[in-house]
Amino acid sequence: MSLQSLYLGLLVGGGVLLASIAAARMAGRLGLPSLLLFLAVGVIVGEGGLGLDFDDAQLAQALGTAALAVILVEGGLSTSWSDVRRLLAPAGVLATVGVALSVAVTAAGAHFLLGVDWHLALLLGAIVSSTDAAAVFAVLRALPLPRKVTGLLEAESGFNDAPTIILVLVFSTAAGDLPSPAAVGGNLLYQLAVGALIGLLVGRVGAAALRHVALPATGLYPLATVAFGIVAFAAGGAAGASGIIAAYLCGLVLGNAGLPHRAATRSFAEGAGWLAQIGLFVMLGLLVDPAELPAAILPAVGVGLVLLLVARPVSVALCLLPFRTPWREQAFISWAGLRGAVPIVLATFPVVSGVEGARHLLHIVFVLVAFFTLVQGPTLPAVARRLGLTRAGALHDVRVETAPLDVLHADLLTATVPPGSRLAGVAIFELRLPHPTAVTLIVREGSTLVPTPTTVLRTGDELLLITTPESAAPTENRLRAVSRRGRLAHWHGERGEDGPQERELRATTEGPRPQ
């Protein structure tokens, strides 16, 4: 690849990324799931729009699976264990028995409505039976729902990808007779059990390592955390197990392990998840042929209605019956079974395997996902209110961030009182810090205290200060001045600016200043 080709590729890629980010903002204002506009960006940029040709289903399958791993690691990192630990049993039943029931009912509907053979009908049923983690995480976390409902849907979406992938692989590679239910069940049990074990093991090892190994830079902690999730995904796949469930469980363990720099890690993982979603949906939009989509509309709507109004409610009702889930919650869980990237990625599997009619199947799945996401996503708040699970004007759960100072246009400064510093013995009010700077917390001998104006500083104290960007530099200068000359630093002519040694060092590293 020449440099010119590289520049052109980066230009196109950066433009598509920025267009997708703008689309996400627009989707938020319109109340639409962002995945719809990401898919639209891909279709517009593709062969039927601006002319970018992409028709490699095998590459789409590989990249799509990798993107799903990143999305599920981020989903695990942002899922609260306290919210899902009591829901593991119903979520597990929904992700296994519920998927099987949904596949069977949807396949029957596809067989009788579309007139396709049972092999293709089962393949279609398996592809569309998985709820999508990215869509569920993005939509549900914006709604003030009971934690039980949100946690159950999030856990189900994290767990049910693995069984559906296994079923799609089985149906895609079955050239003639389908394998026996016992063989499918044994394969499913192995992949889920070994994948879960690998995910939990890698998560525990990663948590122990990140707690006890001091990395040289804060930015390495988010990289290491996400890397452990990717290692779990790859290890699960290499062992012939489910890498998807390994990635999700590893992220769940790491996200609830109380690791250092959790806010930075979650922010980085969220950004990586968004990048994976954008790349995934745009790529899938590129993969489809817009000219063939009209022929897929009626089949997609017919199968989607069977899935939404029959298969999903039946599977939810039967699976949650032993857990005595109220019918209102069951109804919402049935309606909130959002589809997204996972079904479209799974639709590439039969294309790669050379299954007859797989291309038409891909377009049916694409239209089904786009149409029913448009139907279900925007209506979820109204459905929740109608069922009495929330009400107009209800408050969302408090979202706690470590330092949301960007909202306040403020800076967080830290300072330590070193041995020999004249800050020791100075009271807070004697610092005379620039307005509106405030010392908000002092860490002293492993304990924290909220200072008063008369609190006296000691050697070894760590100070946390809130200030504005305009006052940050004067605050630093004032602290340095008091540290050098004490509370009367101003009277001694000390301004806290760089001394001769610091100026000489700065001149060496920065070069001569312009005159």
Side-chain angles (χ1 to χ4, degrees), residues 117-405:
D117 60 70
W118 279 107
H119 180 202
L120 205 59
L122 286 169
L123 188 55
L124 178 57
I127 289 171
V128 299
S129 291
S130 171
T131 57
D132 185 71
V136 170
F137 294 155
V139 174
L140 292 186
R141 291 176 182 177
L143 296 178
L145 292 168
R147 288 188 175 184
K148 176 184 176 183
V149 175
T150 303
L152 181 55
L153 283 164
E154 290 186 0
E156 180 204 7
S157 66
F159 293 150
N160 66 8
D161 290 339
T164 52
I165 289 175
I166 295 167
L167 291 175
V168 170
L169 285 172
V170 168
F171 296 144
S172 296
T173 56
D177 295 334
L178 295 174
S180 66
V184 174
N187 186 14
L188 182 65
L189 181 62
Y190 168 80
Q191 293 211 33
L192 294 180
V194 176
L197 181 63
I198 290 174
L200 294 173
L201 180 62
V202 174
R204 294 293 296 273
V205 170
L210 291 172
R211 282 199 197 100
H212 296 96
V213 177
L215 298 178
T218 301
L220 293 177
Y221 285 92
L223 285 174
T225 303
V226 175
F228 275 113
I230 300 302
V231 166
F233 168 74
S242 172
I244 293 293
I245 199 168
Y248 179 74
L249 289 178
C250 180
L252 185 64
V253 171
L254 292 171
N256 291 271
L259 299 178
H261 307 292
R262 284 178 294 175
T265 297
R266 289 184 178 178
S267 295
F268 175 81
E270 185 179 11
W274 272 107
L275 182 60
Q277 287 186 56
I278 291 172
L280 177 57
F281 288 120
V282 171
M283 178 187 66
L284 295 175
L286 286 168
L287 188 62
V288 300
D289 184 358
E292 297 185 23
L293 293 180
I297 292 177
L298 289 180
V301 172
V303 173
L305 287 174
V306 172
L307 177 64
L308 178 63
L309 302 179
V310 183
R312 177 71 176 173
V314 167
S315 62
V316 168
L318 293 179
C319 290
L320 297 184
L321 185 62
F323 303 100
R324 299 180 179 179
T325 303
W327 72 267
R328 296 178 185 273
E329 294 181 3
Q330 290 187 30
F332 183 81
I333 291 169
S334 298
W335 189 258
L338 300 175
R339 271 72 193 172
V342 174
I344 307 177
V345 172
L346 294 181
T348 64
F349 284 49
V351 176
V352 174
S353 299
V355 175
E356 185 178 356
R359 273 286 174 182
H360 184 53
L361 201 67
L362 171 64
H363 292 104
I364 290 175
V365 173
F366 184 91
V367 174
L368 186 153
V369 168
F371 180 79
F372 284 94
T373 301
L374 185 61
V375 170
Q376 293 172 256
T379 59
L380 284 176
V383 171
R385 289 194 299 270
R386 187 79 176 184
L387 293 171
L389 298 178
T390 184
R391 63 185 186 279
L395 294 176
H396 295 257
D397 283 342
V398 176
R399 185 175 181 179
V400 180
E401 298 287 350
T402 301
L405 300 179

